[in-house]
Amino acid sequence: METYELPELFQLAASYDRSFEGFAYPKTEQQQGKADLTAESWAAALGDVPADFAKSVVVEHYRRNSVSISTSVIHREWVEYRNQQIQKAESAEIKSKPRPSAAESLRGWERATAALLEAKGQDPDEAIQDIKARRQVLQVKCPVCRASPGKGCVSSTGNKVQPLSNNRSHPSRFEEAGVEMPVPNAASEEQDSEGAAVERG
């Protein structure tokens, strides 16, 4: 606030608080000098506070309090208001930022996976294609174990139902999804034959 704006603020405060009458309506030279000094000190304390905001604080203050308004009260309200505005602006900026599309998210996932597999000495391209194929297969229902879309395949042994090892899917499910089944290694072939034997049994 500027010094010339303070008399109007004092007049507003005086309408609620008689202690401000001497600053708002000085009648003597001595009162005028005191009012001028008070205006200067208040202007220094409320330098960045808009006059209209200070007036609104005065009105709200006397609606809830009987004690005299002070520069500290006005400045505290201004700081809180300014912080709230900053938080609202930051929140609006975050909400306005577009979310990544599914394709963009997938590319990000691919990059992260490739970096991880490469660090482990594996072929990232081959591994990612294998993971993509398995995810695509999970989008259809398995014709063998009847696993619903999104659910992994299972094997049944009597009353016991358990997931296939290594999160594998039945070959028929690959055919149903129209996806070429990855070539298994020796260990996987052995597990597949054991699983098939269990299911046949």
Side-chain angles (χ1 to χ4, degrees), residues 40-58:
E40 290 177 3
S41 65
W42 275 54
L46 304 176
D48 61 339
V49 180
D52 288 340
F53 182 86
K55 293 175 185 177
S56 67
V57 173
V58 169

Side-chain angles (χ1 to χ4, degrees), residues 65-139:
N65 301 276
S66 58
V67 296
S68 297
I69 188 75
S70 64
T71 56
S72 61
V73 172
I74 297 174
H75 193 266
R76 182 179 66 247
E77 292 293 332
W78 170 243
V79 171
E80 290 181 1
Y81 171 79
R82 187 172 54 185
N83 289 339
Q84 289 174 359
Q85 294 303 110
I86 292 174
Q87 291 175 359
K88 287 181 180 179
E90 291 176 346
S91 178
E93 183 179 357
I94 293 174
K95 290 180 179 179
S96 65
K97 290 183 178 179
R99 293 185 177 181
S101 64
E104 290 172 337
S105 297
L106 182 59
R107 286 195 294 271
W109 166 80
E110 288 178 358
R111 288 194 296 270
T113 303
L116 179 61
L117 294 175
E118 191 170 7
K120 292 182 177 181
Q122 301 180 35
D123 184 345
D125 293 332
E126 182 178 335
I128 288 175
Q129 291 304 318
D130 178 65
I131 294 173
K132 278 184 172 182
R134 294 181 185 278
R135 292 178 69 178
Q136 186 175 345
V137 167
L138 289 178
Q139 295 178 10

Side-chain angles (χ1 to χ4, degrees), residues 113-180:
T113 303
L116 179 61
L117 294 175
E118 191 170 7
K120 292 182 177 181
Q122 301 180 35
D123 184 345
D125 293 332
E126 182 178 335
I128 288 175
Q129 291 304 318
D130 178 65
I131 294 173
K132 278 184 172 182
R134 294 181 185 278
R135 292 178 69 178
Q136 186 175 345
V137 167
L138 289 178
Q139 295 178 10
V140 301
K141 182 178 180 179
C142 180
V144 177
C145 65
R146 303 300 178 186
S148 58
K151 302 291 185 180
C153 286
V154 297
S155 62
S156 301
T157 306
N159 295 328
K160 186 177 181 181
V161 178
Q162 59 184 8
L164 294 185
S165 61
N166 297 326
N167 294 320
R168 293 177 298 110
S169 298
H170 288 103
S172 298
R173 195 171 190 178
F174 278 87
E175 295 177 6
E176 187 74 14
V179 177
E180 183 178 354

